[in-house]
Amino acid sequence: GIQVEQSPPDLILQEGANSTLRCNFSDSVNNLQWFHQNPWGQLINLFYIPSGTKQNGRLSATTVATERYSLLYISSSQTTDSGVYFCAVGRGGGNKLTFGTGTQLKVEL
Amino acid sequence: DAGVIQSPRHEVTEMGQEVTLRCKPISGHNSLFWYRQTMMRGLELLIYFNNNVPIDDSGMPEDRFSAKMPNASFSTLKIQPSEPRDSAVYFCASSWGTEAFFGQGTRLTVV
């Protein structure tokens, strides 16, 4: 099956700092989503981005499908950004997702 | 829309008991997914349905696990008999062809 690798596995930031999270995948995909799992365990949709670039407030994402990677940018980080960020990809029909192992982010004051 | 609704939020049961997890997908979505999250294996797909029909159950770990979708607004995941290694957070998700949305999960503890 398709492999999804995320880096870095862990990240500690001071509030206000910027960061870039990376997701590499082993095969062509037609679905890519970024999620934030908050400290209460809820999976929150950030982006549906199989290709191209999107922005939502302090967050933006870029997927280069031909090179099999996606990047999530977090600017001016806040303590509420803490949690685990997952990249998930899908291919073919059905829209079933394969998840990466996540990036654990902690934002400190 | 209220989003994907799962119940119960927490379940503690004794080994050997039957456990039933429930999910109500977002209205109008035609695909429903069950995922399991553990520290060791991360988030993994157990089974998915399209138009209420099971399409891929290759992720179901054992015959002790079964899932049904009797109609477009309801699905169940049953574990019988339950074992301590089944302890995990179980997520239900739904989609309409593209973006998938997840419920808040059921935290299952089997003692």
Side-chain angles (χ1 to χ4, degrees), chain A residues 31 33 35 37 41-43 45 47-48 86 93-97 99, chain B residues 31 33 35 37 43 45 48 56 91 95 97-102 104:
Chain A
N31 183 2
Q33 292 185 238
F35 296 90
Q37 187 166 40
Q42 187 177 1
L43 282 165
N45 288 41
F47 294 102
Y48 169 75
F86 288 104
N95 202 38
K96 54 184 180 178
L97 295 172
F99 279 78
Chain B
S31 294
F33 311 83
Y35 289 84
Q37 185 176 31
L43 276 153
L45 178 68
Y48 89 91
D56 183 354
F91 286 99
S95 76
T98 54
E99 189 173 7
F101 294 86
F102 283 71
Q104 293 188 302

Side-chain angles (χ1 to χ4, degrees), chain B residues 57-76:
Chain B
D57 66 354
S58 59
M60 296 285 263
E62 300 173 33
D63 291 345
R64 298 184 296 105
F65 286 69
S66 63
K68 294 182 179 179
M69 191 166 186
N71 56 62
S73 58
F74 184 65
S75 176
T76 59

Side-chain angles (χ1 to χ4, degrees), chain B:
Chain B
D1 199 314
V4 178
I5 299 173
Q6 291 186 245
S7 64
R9 292 292 309 281
H10 303 273
E11 177 80 34
V12 180
T13 191
E14 291 186 346
M15 181 174 61
Q17 296 297 306
E18 177 179 297
V19 176
T20 300
L21 311 181
R22 296 172 174 80
C23 175
K24 176 179 170 55
I26 293 172
S27 177
H29 282 189
N30 64 344
S31 294
L32 183 139
F33 311 83
W34 284 100
Y35 289 84
R36 178 172 69 174
Q37 185 176 31
T38 61
M39 288 294 292
M40 290 296 293
R41 299 175 66 88
L43 276 153
E44 53 182 347
L45 178 68
L46 299 179
I47 185 171
Y48 89 91
F49 295 83
N50 187 255
N51 293 324
N52 312 338
V53 176
I55 302 300
D56 183 354
D57 66 354
S58 59
M60 296 285 263
E62 300 173 33
D63 291 345
R64 298 184 296 105
F65 286 69
S66 63
K68 294 182 179 179
M69 191 166 186
N71 56 62
S73 58
F74 184 65
S75 176
T76 59
L77 178 67
K78 184 177 295 185
I79 308 172
Q80 165 65 18
S82 57
E83 296 182 4
R85 59 191 167 127
D86 302 331
S87 297
V89 180
Y90 291 80
F91 286 99
C92 177
S94 70
S95 76
W96 175 244
T98 54
E99 189 173 7
F101 294 86
F102 283 71
Q104 293 188 302
T106 295
R107 181 173 297 276
L108 173 65
T109 303
V110 183
V111 299

